[in-house]
Amino acid sequence: MTLISHSRRLRRTPFSDGVEIAGVKAYTVYNHMLLPTVFRSVEEDYRHLKDAVQVWDVSCERQVELRGPDAGRLMQHLTPRDLRSMLPRQCYYVPIVDETGGMLNDPVAVKLAEDRWWISIADSDLLYWVKGLAYGVRLDVLVDEPDVSPLAVQGPRADDLMAAVFGDKVRNIKFFRFEHLEFQGRKLVVARSGYSKQGGFEIYVEGADIGMPLWNALMEAGKELDVHAGCPNLIERIEGGLLSYGNDMTDDNTPHECGLGRFCNTQTVIGCIGRDALLRVSKEGPVQQIRPISIDGEPVPECNRYWPLHSDGQIVGRLSSAAWSPDFNTNVAIGMVRMTHWKPGTELTVETPRGPRPATVQKAFWI
Amino acid sequence: MTLISHSRRLRRTPFSDGVEIAGVKAYTVYNHMLLPTVFRSVEEDYRHLKDAVQVWDVSCERQVELRGPDAGRLMQHLTPRDLRSMLPRQCYYVPIVDETGGMLNDPVAVKLAEDRWWISIADSDLLYWVKGLAYGVRLDVLVDEPDVSPLAVQGPRADDLMAAVFGDKVRNIKFFRFEHLEFQGRKLVVARSGYSKQGGFEIYVEGADIGMPLWNALMEAGKELDVHAGCPNLIERIEGGLLSYGNDMTDDNTPHECGLGRFCNTQTVIGCIGRDALLRVSKEGPVQQIRPISIDGEPVPECNRYWPLHSDGQIVGRLSSAAWSPDFNTNVAIGMVRMTHWKPGTELTVETPRGPRPATVQKAFWI
């Protein structure tokens, strides 16, 4: 591991002071912002996330706000997911595609009202695509990045911790729905969502000034629940098949290649820019697709570049994320595999930096 | 300093292996890619850059390629700089603005041909803005990120090193012009440009496969010139007034606020999207502007967030970059200052993490 050089350009968040007091050991950069990656160790953080409750500074999930009479129309331009039945207070996971069907981001759309949306983005400046498009097609909509920084509360005790701060009504929020709940006189969007499979919430903290007060309130209220600062966990997200934009897929990939075909209503959607490009792939299926892959042997090193997948000397895919899973006692990985070799049980060879290893296509992710 | 967590998402470059062998100590992330920041120490790298010659992995200056009959028209949509007199083989520094006149990037435009341009970008996904716009206004142009990774050769001995690898004709390349020069049978764009005031070149390495061969050829040819791996140097760039997008300015700022009014032909330019928004500020001038600022006392700590500038208890601006300059024996800084306090010689107070310090607005940058 090397050091990170800090500068204004790698933006701090409203919670950075809390993150540092909690002993953050490593960062990554995500949407030009600091995202913690390790507190105690990736393994300890993993264990604790599955057993207790964590507060995550995911401010880097920046929002793109669409506001105005054409907000809904613009939102539908962006994604092949049919949004007609979506109601205010709902969140939808929406692949965003360009005119070639290539994925530009895989955010969560938050419908605040018919004429007001947030797009909670993965790691690319989606704001620029949306602004360029809105300007080019001359829609009546304002597009901007508001002062909103998500804070996630994740883990089996998330409901108890959130109830201690926001009251018991937080327990009634359904998956991918949100309510406006009060904290220090401010109404905040609180959704049941988050980048883990352990359950929990995302609080869309509007106004940087209440960032640390909320962080401290959660830490204080969670003392008996063994709350700890945490962050998206590499092992847990691979086990759960949570994809990472820029790692597991890029603008080279269609949603179908990413196994996100169920979020594409390519036959019925009206207005989506990438619809025509995706029509064939949605009918015939992709020629390569993301698969869970296990890797034999001792824990693999850090996966910081594509690891080629071989079969009989031919390249048939590549791994993009990999980690040792203590719970499943194997290396878990996410890979893109050609259809000739994607059947569950197919045995492949992965080229790791420490040499070739046997790898096996799995039927499902580990959760 | 904290550690950086590596992943595929923080892209390695064609030169990363060379950078690691050369002993890189710290990275930043720039356009989703690793950018080295320290080899020996920031101070030693600074001294060596000014005395000898360095090879910089600046692959993170990704290219946006515009190709097609409307390429020139699209390019002019992007910037208030009048491009009518620009010829192939020229490079222009071009502020890129949105419809409100806010800066989205400050890249170098490289005119390869009337119908083919590269935009060598600073740290934001300008590709998304350009693609969105090209799609929205329906221009006949393809927009993409090609496999081009710039490698910079900077320092007083840059001409000698480049001549040893590319031949003496490299010496005749004028500032912000380029030629196609051969390396291992490949024609590469070689421009006299770069992110330092020490002189040198940027080689637009087309094709990742020749990255390490070129890196090694430069290192081998430069042995007697004391060549060393280097990187954009914090101290030298502040002394020279080289702005950093995301540090010193964001999309909140107009080019005029950034002191880039001389690159804006707002009166005559035809087609620029931000032209109308910039017309008034170009006539009347901005109310705040970037200034060189000196800070008294011992070396300042790392500037990783805005440091407020005070006068008589009022906030009159903020610093965004600061470092101790061995050559000028003072702390050098870049700040945005309100017009009431921007006169050279104005004495202010800067709030650093180690307490308030006297600061003085300078007449010019230190070079």
Side-chain angles (χ1 to χ4, degrees):
Chain A
M1 293 238 269
T2 34
L3 295 170
I4 188 168
S5 280
H6 291 277
S7 65
R8 217 303 302 188
R9 189 170 52 75
L10 310 189
R11 297 180 285 180
R12 291 172 64 83
T13 85
F15 317 108
S16 289
D17 291 346
V19 159
E20 284 166 8
I21 289 166
V24 61
K25 290 211 178 93
Y27 281 116
T28 185
V29 176
Y30 198 100
N31 284 324
H32 313 278
M33 203 165 231
L34 294 174
L35 171 62
T37 51
V38 186
F39 282 89
R40 291 182 277 201
S41 73
V42 175
E43 291 73 20
E44 283 175 273
D45 293 350
Y46 161 86
R47 186 77 274 137
H48 177 264
L49 168 62
K50 288 189 166 189
D51 291 344
V53 59
Q54 297 183 346
V55 179
W56 295 1
D57 174 4
V58 285
S59 303
C60 66
E61 294 171 1
R62 304 312 296 164
Q63 307 305 303
V64 176
E65 177 166 314
L66 315 186
R67 202 152 33 94
D70 286 336
R73 177 184 294 252
L74 177 56
M75 193 65 229
Q76 187 65 85
H77 280 345
L78 302 174
T79 179
R81 183 158 181 186
D82 194 330
L83 304 177
R84 278 177 292 184
S85 60
M86 186 175 177
L87 301 170
R89 298 201 196 168
Q90 280 192 307
C91 307
Y92 271 24
Y93 178 69
V94 284
I96 306 285
V97 299
D98 66 14
E99 71 283 6
T100 73
M103 285 191 64
L104 298 179
N105 205 287
D106 70 324
V108 171
V110 179
K111 186 168 181 176
L112 299 162
E114 290 301 332
D115 60 355
R116 188 158 172 247
W117 299 66
W118 284 340
I119 312 175
S120 192
I121 62 173
D123 185 28
S124 74
D125 295 334
L126 189 65
L127 179 66
Y128 279 29
W129 170 250
V130 181
K131 273 170 66 93
L133 216 56
Y135 178 86
V137 300
R138 303 202 172 275
L139 294 178
D140 280 338
V141 57
L142 294 180
V143 181
D144 225 325
E145 179 182 301
D147 178 14
V148 172
S149 298
L151 189 66
V153 176
Q154 300 284 300
R157 299 179 196 158
D159 277 60
D160 292 341
L161 175 53
M162 287 294 284
V165 172
F166 288 97
D168 272 330
K169 60 192 163 229
V170 80
R171 298 183 192 271
N172 301 325
I173 300 175
K174 289 184 188 150
F175 188 62
F176 265 52
R177 301 262 174 165
F178 68 84
E179 295 293 337
H180 288 96
L181 299 182
E182 198 172 303
F183 177 77
Q184 296 193 348
R186 219 79 77 76
K187 289 276 187 192
L188 301 180
V189 169
V190 177
R192 192 181 288 274
S193 56
Y195 195 64
S196 88
K197 290 286 190 180
Q198 306 310 312
F201 300 87
E202 286 176 304
I203 310 161
Y204 291 77
V205 181
E206 202 168 357
D209 58 310
I210 55 163
M212 279 311 298
L214 178 57
W215 175 278
N216 290 331
L218 286 163
M219 289 299 172
E220 186 62 31
K223 272 182 181 163
E224 290 184 8
L225 300 168
D226 187 27
V227 69
H228 202 276
C231 47
N233 184 274
L234 180 69
I235 309 167
E236 198 270 349
R237 81 144 180 101
I238 298 175
E239 286 179 357
L242 295 171
L243 306 183
S244 165
Y245 187 76
N247 280 318
D248 305 313
M249 69 276 206
T250 70
D251 61 359
D252 270 350
N253 303 116
T254 63
H256 303 78
E257 287 178 348
C258 304
L260 305 175
R262 66 189 182 281
F263 300 110
C264 299
N265 310 102
T266 316
Q267 310 287 335
T268 63
V269 73
I270 295 166
C272 167
I273 283 171
R275 187 262 180 190
D276 295 354
L278 289 177
L279 198 58
R280 271 169 215 285
V281 74
S282 78
K283 279 187 194 162
E284 294 160 20
V287 297
Q288 59 176 1
Q289 200 167 48
I290 278 180
R291 284 289 181 273
I293 313 265
S294 67
I295 308 172
D296 290 1
E298 60 177 15
V300 290
E302 178 181 80
C303 181
N304 58 26
R305 65 196 94 180
Y306 290 139
W307 293 349
L309 284 166
H310 291 274
S311 177
D312 294 330
Q314 284 216 317
I315 291 183
V316 298
R318 41 85 173 159
L319 294 191
S320 45
S321 300
W324 173 259
S325 161
D327 281 1
F328 295 96
N329 202 35
T330 182
N331 291 293
V332 293
I334 297 175
M336 184 74 75
V337 187
R338 293 193 67 79
M339 72 187 301
T340 48
H341 291 76
W342 73 26
K343 232 181 77 183
T346 306
E347 292 182 8
L348 305 170
T349 302
V350 58
E351 250 182 61
T352 80
R354 296 196 192 142
R357 290 275 191 92
T360 310
V361 179
Q362 300 297 304
K363 191 171 177 189
F365 282 96
W366 288 264
I367 196 162
Chain B
M1 292 235 271
T2 32
L3 295 170
I4 189 168
S5 279
H6 291 276
S7 66
R8 216 305 300 190
R9 190 171 51 77
L10 311 189
R11 296 180 284 180
R12 292 172 63 84
T13 84
F15 316 109
S16 288
D17 290 345
V19 159
E20 284 166 8
I21 290 166
V24 63
K25 291 211 178 97
Y27 281 117
T28 185
V29 177
Y30 196 101
N31 284 323
H32 314 278
M33 203 167 231
L34 295 173
L35 170 62
T37 52
V38 185
F39 282 89
R40 290 182 278 201
S41 74
V42 175
E43 293 71 21
E44 282 175 275
D45 292 350
Y46 162 86
R47 187 78 273 137
H48 177 263
L49 168 62
K50 289 189 165 188
D51 290 343
V53 60
Q54 296 182 347
V55 178
W56 294 2
D57 174 4
V58 285
S59 302
C60 65
E61 295 171 1
R62 304 311 295 165
Q63 307 304 302
V64 176
E65 177 167 311
L66 315 184
R67 205 150 32 94
D70 286 335
R73 176 185 294 252
L74 176 55
M75 192 66 229
Q76 187 67 82
H77 279 345
L78 301 174
T79 180
R81 185 160 180 186
D82 194 331
L83 304 176
R84 277 176 293 183
S85 60
M86 187 175 177
L87 301 169
R89 297 202 196 167
Q90 280 193 309
C91 308
Y92 272 22
Y93 178 70
V94 284
I96 305 287
V97 299
D98 65 15
E99 71 283 7
T100 74
M103 285 190 64
L104 298 180
N105 204 288
D106 70 324
V108 171
V110 178
K111 185 169 182 176
L112 299 161
E114 290 301 332
D115 60 354
R116 187 157 175 248
W117 299 65
W118 284 340
I119 313 176
S120 191
I121 62 173
D123 184 29
S124 74
D125 295 334
L126 189 65
L127 178 66
Y128 279 28
W129 170 249
V130 181
K131 272 170 66 95
L133 216 55
Y135 178 86
V137 301
R138 303 203 172 273
L139 294 178
D140 279 339
V141 57
L142 294 180
V143 181
D144 226 324
E145 179 182 301
D147 178 14
V148 173
S149 298
L151 189 66
V153 176
Q154 300 284 301
R157 298 178 197 158
D159 277 60
D160 292 342
L161 175 54
M162 287 293 285
V165 172
F166 289 96
D168 273 329
K169 60 193 163 226
V170 80
R171 298 182 191 273
N172 300 325
I173 300 175
K174 290 183 188 149
F175 188 62
F176 264 53
R177 302 263 174 164
F178 69 84
E179 295 292 338
H180 287 95
L181 299 182
E182 199 172 303
F183 177 77
Q184 295 194 347
R186 220 75 79 77
K187 289 277 187 188
L188 301 179
V189 169
V190 177
R192 190 180 289 275
S193 57
Y195 195 63
S196 88
K197 290 287 191 181
Q198 307 310 311
F201 300 86
E202 286 177 304
I203 310 162
Y204 290 78
V205 181
E206 203 169 355
D209 58 310
I210 56 164
M212 280 311 298
L214 178 57
W215 175 278
N216 289 331
L218 286 162
M219 288 300 173
E220 185 62 32
K223 274 184 180 162
E224 290 184 8
L225 299 168
D226 186 28
V227 70
H228 202 278
C231 48
N233 184 275
L234 181 69
I235 310 167
E236 199 268 351
R237 82 144 179 101
I238 299 175
E239 287 179 357
L242 295 171
L243 305 183
S244 165
Y245 186 76
N247 279 316
D248 305 315
M249 69 276 205
T250 71
D251 60 0
D252 270 348
N253 302 116
T254 63
H256 303 79
E257 288 179 346
C258 304
L260 304 176
R262 66 189 183 283
F263 300 109
C264 300
N265 310 104
T266 316
Q267 310 288 332
T268 63
V269 73
I270 295 166
C272 167
I273 283 169
R275 189 262 181 190
D276 294 354
L278 289 177
L279 198 59
R280 273 169 215 286
V281 72
S282 79
K283 277 185 191 161
E284 293 159 20
V287 298
Q288 59 176 1
Q289 200 168 49
I290 278 180
R291 286 287 182 273
I293 313 266
S294 67
I295 307 172
D296 290 2
E298 60 177 16
V300 289
E302 180 180 78
C303 181
N304 57 27
R305 62 197 96 179
Y306 289 140
W307 292 350
L309 283 165
H310 290 275
S311 178
D312 295 329
Q314 287 217 313
I315 291 183
V316 298
R318 41 86 174 158
L319 295 191
S320 46
S321 300
W324 173 259
S325 161
D327 282 2
F328 295 96
N329 203 35
T330 183
N331 291 292
V332 294
I334 297 175
M336 184 74 75
V337 188
R338 292 194 67 79
M339 73 186 303
T340 49
H341 291 76
W342 72 27
K343 232 181 77 183
T346 305
E347 292 182 7
L348 305 170
T349 302
V350 58
E351 250 182 61
T352 79
R354 297 197 192 142
R357 292 278 190 92
T360 310
V361 179
Q362 301 296 303
K363 191 170 177 189
F365 282 96
W366 288 264
I367 195 162

